[in-house]
Amino acid sequence: ITIAGLVLFMALPLFLQAQELRLTPWTGGASLTLNQQIAADTAIAKLPNRVYVLTRGALYVSNAVFATTAGWTLRLKANDSNTTKKPIIMLYPTGSGASPWNPPGQLFQTAGSLEMRNIQVTGYYEPVDTNRWNMQGGLIQIPSTASGVNITIDSCILSNSNGNHIRTDGAPGTIKITNTIFANMGYLGRSNFGAGKGIDLRAASCDTVILMNNTWVNWLDRIIRHYPATATGTSTGAIKYFKFDHNTLVNGSSYHGVLSLGTMGDRAIITNNLFVDAFAMGNDSDATRQAEFIPSGEKDPYGKARMNWIFTFPNTTTNWTISNNYYTVSDSGQAYYNQYASAGVTGEGAILTWHLNGRLGADSTKAFTKIPLAFNKAPKLMTQMMRWYRSPSGGNKTKNTPGAWTYGTATDPNDFDRKGYAYLRDTLDLRYPTTSPAYTGGTGGTPVGSLNWFKITSGVNRIEGAVPTEFTLEQNYPNPFNPATKIVFSLPAATQAKLEIFDMLGRNVATVFNEQKQAGQYAVDYDGSRLVSGVYIYRLSTPGMTISKKMTMLK
């Protein structure tokens, strides 16, 4: 028996018993922007249970930062609908003259908490392609004066910032992001190779970071930056709990690494992730790049900072779990390594620091497995841009190159393969062959990477992004069956769960699984080829609940 997929894993208990307000889509001209509509509502009162509802498939623009106040939570979601297209928010510039770019500069500045579900955000007004030159610096920011702020994002698409999609100058409480696509992090037209991050935690502390079932595609610098304010790391607040699980990472130049984690606290988990050309610039003796690999304290053979995909300020107290991760280097990625081998690029390099290898012990050899792998449909690797960086007539290995290209054409020849909002929503397809060892390489035999690319079509009606609120066991499908059927069930909380099959005399004929499971909705393919024709009972049980249903095997 194999678990074919896991859906809605670690989804979010948002928007219960809420007071909803439907916002009006933007129609151009003097129609109200998103920020104006929220400002008009909150000028009356900041209702504690208010949820702003956006129409699926509709366009909204924001032309000024909307700043939330401490103690208040801003909540946005898509409306419930048969249409699956997410509403799209585009940042719309209002500057003029020699400075046409700002405001807004970003979408939300959150001194209070933020919750978003099924929303798409892009950092420039995409219908006019040259507006890419107006790309804003970020999407979401926690200001330095805020602390204890929570950011909860589920089933969203965040794309196009020249700096960082999320930046926390203050000390957040919990950052929990699930089932979300991060795309197009960075733009050299307005910033540099040291920008273009998914989440920039700066040097502040953070109680909890949970990143699960997300996809990260096209970034310049790092997925996570939590960098010490000093070379010793002593002034950096800790990430007390960190979980990076079932994420798919594709196409990162990774100028200063992939996961730059700084000071860590009690627990860190990096499991079931898929990395594809995730450190594309490779291990190098480039002093400009090496400047921000210092926190590990490790040196390369030349006495400079050693490059690693994942590095931290070392300690002996963090409890690490790093396992069931897979990675691949494409032919174009390997060709880049080969081209610059004589100039100091030694391939993909070491993923983990010596310190982390030592913390894992013998398990470090099994933490990452290299395999060949190809996706159905993904953007191309940014090898042209990486070659331009190294060329004496291009970037010449200089980090600070904003505005390096002439603003005069709609496409920049040295940008990465930047896909628009419709492609990210409708076309991007990061499934890989089910024959790959990655398909069953995750914990419990699950696919490695974001499980959203392998959602099960089970005939069970579900609301996209819905979280299980009760213990359920659906009728198997098909029924009668021969020889395979699908069993779908939901667990509202983590628990020990057991699924068994009994004949009509009460005899156990199969135990499908008996193991600890996280909250979520699951779909299991059951092969009954060893059964004789007849009626059977399938029973799902936990320490506090048992549900049984009948099914019929008909050969």
Side-chain angles (χ1 to χ4, degrees):
I1 305 302
T2 61
I3 298 178
L6 173 61
V7 293
L8 307 177
F9 192 63
M10 288 295 292
L12 308 172
L14 304 182
F15 313 129
L16 299 178
Q17 299 179 340
Q19 297 172 305
E20 296 187 350
L21 177 65
R22 180 74 70 94
L23 301 183
T24 303
W26 189 71
T27 56
S31 58
L32 291 178
T33 63
L34 178 93
N35 49 286
Q36 288 172 329
Q37 294 182 66
I38 299 176
D41 180 58
T42 54
I44 301 170
K46 290 182 170 65
L47 300 178
N49 296 325
R50 174 70 86 204
V51 176
Y52 296 103
V53 180
L54 280 62
T55 301
R56 286 184 177 273
L59 170 65
Y60 297 80
V61 302
S62 179
N63 63 359
V65 179
F66 185 84
T68 68
T69 55
W72 180 69
T73 299
L74 174 62
R75 300 178 176 91
L76 298 95
K77 73 168 186 176
N79 68 302
D80 294 336
S81 170
N82 292 329
T83 300
T84 60
K85 294 183 184 298
K86 302 179 190 299
I88 174 73
I89 303 170
M90 298 186 183
L91 299 192
Y92 196 87
T94 58
S96 62
S99 300
W101 302 292
N102 294 308
Q106 56 198 333
L107 178 60
F108 297 129
Q109 186 179 75
T110 59
S113 294
L114 173 68
E115 298 176 0
M116 293 173 57
R117 176 184 287 163
N118 291 325
I119 303 292
Q120 187 167 4
V121 180
T122 179
Y124 72 96
Y125 183 65
E126 292 191 28
V128 180
D129 187 61
T130 52
N131 270 301
R132 186 184 345 164
W133 306 328
N134 297 324
M135 190 180 304
Q136 304 301 294
L139 303 180
I140 299 166
Q141 182 204 15
I142 297 175
S144 59
T145 54
S147 63
V149 173
N150 301 324
I151 294 177
T152 309
I153 297 174
D154 180 55
S155 301
C156 292
I157 302 175
L158 307 178
S159 64
N160 293 318
S161 68
N162 65 60
N164 21 255
H165 285 5
I166 299 173
R167 173 166 167 159
T168 65
D169 291 287
T174 295
I175 296 176
K176 182 179 180 182
I177 304 175
T178 53
N179 308 308
T180 290
I181 296 173
F182 283 69
N184 301 336
M185 290 153 271
Y187 175 52
L188 292 184
R190 294 199 61 200
S191 195
N192 59 59
F193 278 99
K197 293 176 274 288
I199 302 174
D200 189 350
L201 296 171
R202 306 308 291 173
S205 65
C206 184
D207 290 340
T208 300
V209 177
I210 297 174
L211 304 171
M212 299 181 66
N213 276 330
N214 301 305
T215 294
W216 315 73
V217 57
N218 286 350
W219 66 92
L220 284 183
D221 188 30
R222 282 161 277 193
I223 294 300
I224 298 175
R225 177 197 187 273
H226 182 235
Y227 196 77
T230 65
T232 63
T234 54
S235 62
T236 305
I239 303 175
K240 298 175 185 177
Y241 177 88
F242 178 76
K243 186 167 188 177
F244 193 79
D245 179 67
H246 275 293
N247 296 287
T248 297
L249 296 84
V250 187
N251 296 350
S253 65
S254 291
Y255 192 80
H256 290 312
V258 182
L259 300 179
S260 172
L261 298 179
T263 300
M264 301 300 290
D266 296 333
R267 190 80 173 94
I269 302 165
I270 302 173
T271 50
N272 305 310
N273 302 294
L274 177 61
F275 299 76
V276 178
D277 287 324
F279 196 61
M281 278 191 164
N283 185 65
D284 199 359
S285 56
D286 180 344
T288 308
R289 290 185 61 204
Q290 287 174 301
E292 290 204 25
F293 289 85
I294 292 173
S296 72
E298 299 177 5
K299 304 293 185 182
D300 69 7
Y302 307 100
K304 299 292 181 65
R306 183 173 181 247
M307 290 186 179
N308 299 93
W309 300 20
I310 301 170
F311 59 96
T312 70
F313 181 72
N315 69 57
T316 58
T317 58
T318 303
N319 182 358
W320 285 91
T321 299
I322 305 178
S323 65
N324 298 88
N325 300 290
Y326 285 69
Y327 76 99
T328 193
V329 176
S330 68
D331 291 344
S332 57
Q334 188 60 51
Y336 173 85
Y337 294 158
N338 295 344
Q339 178 179 353
Y340 295 102
S342 60
V345 177
T346 57
E348 69 260 29
I351 298 175
L352 301 176
T353 60
W354 291 319
H355 168 73
L356 288 176
N357 284 331
R359 298 288 294 156
L360 296 175
D363 289 339
S364 67
T365 61
K366 300 177 290 184
F368 286 81
T369 302
K370 187 176 183 179
I371 58 169
L373 184 143
F375 292 123
N376 285 357
K377 189 173 289 292
K380 296 177 182 178
L381 182 62
M382 64 280 281
T383 51
Q384 180 175 334
M385 180 181 65
M386 297 188 305
R387 290 185 171 95
W388 175 88
Y389 167 76
R390 299 190 69 94
S391 171
S393 59
N396 197 26
K397 297 174 71 174
T398 301
K399 173 179 175 178
N400 295 308
T401 53
W405 306 306
T406 302
Y407 297 144
T409 60
T411 58
D412 289 325
N414 297 308
D415 196 10
F416 44 62
D417 187 12
R418 187 181 300 272
K419 300 299 187 183
Y421 75 94
Y423 177 99
L424 297 171
R425 183 190 64 196
D426 305 329
T427 305
L428 181 67
D429 185 354
L430 300 184
R431 288 175 293 171
Y432 50 83
T434 57
T435 54
S436 169
Y439 186 70
T440 55
T443 304
T446 56
V448 168
S450 173
L451 295 166
N452 289 290
W453 299 111
F454 294 98
K455 282 185 176 179
I456 298 299
T457 302
S458 63
V460 177
N461 292 324
R462 296 191 298 268
I463 298 173
E464 181 188 1
V467 65
T469 58
E470 57 184 349
F471 182 91
T472 64
L473 178 64
E474 306 294 340
Q475 185 62 52
N476 65 303
Y477 176 86
N479 187 45
F481 65 96
N482 179 29
T485 190
K486 193 179 302 295
I487 299 171
V488 176
F489 62 95
S490 296
L491 302 173
T495 186
Q496 184 74 21
K498 179 164 59 174
L499 180 62
E500 300 171 280
I501 314 295
F502 298 89
D503 64 19
M504 295 307 293
L505 297 176
R507 296 176 297 195
N508 179 297
V509 296
T511 298
V512 181
F513 61 78
N514 182 9
E515 62 191 29
Q516 181 75 17
K517 289 192 175 296
Q518 297 293 326
Q521 186 177 56
Y522 293 80
V524 176
D525 286 338
Y526 174 67
D527 183 353
S529 56
R530 295 185 180 182
L531 302 180
V532 298
S533 294
V535 177
Y536 293 84
I537 303 294
Y538 60 103
R539 184 176 75 187
L540 178 67
S541 58
T542 69
M545 185 73 70
T546 298
I547 303 180
S548 299
K549 290 184 180 291
K550 291 182 180 180
M551 63 182 182
T552 302
M553 173 66 174
L554 187 60
K555 290 189 174 181

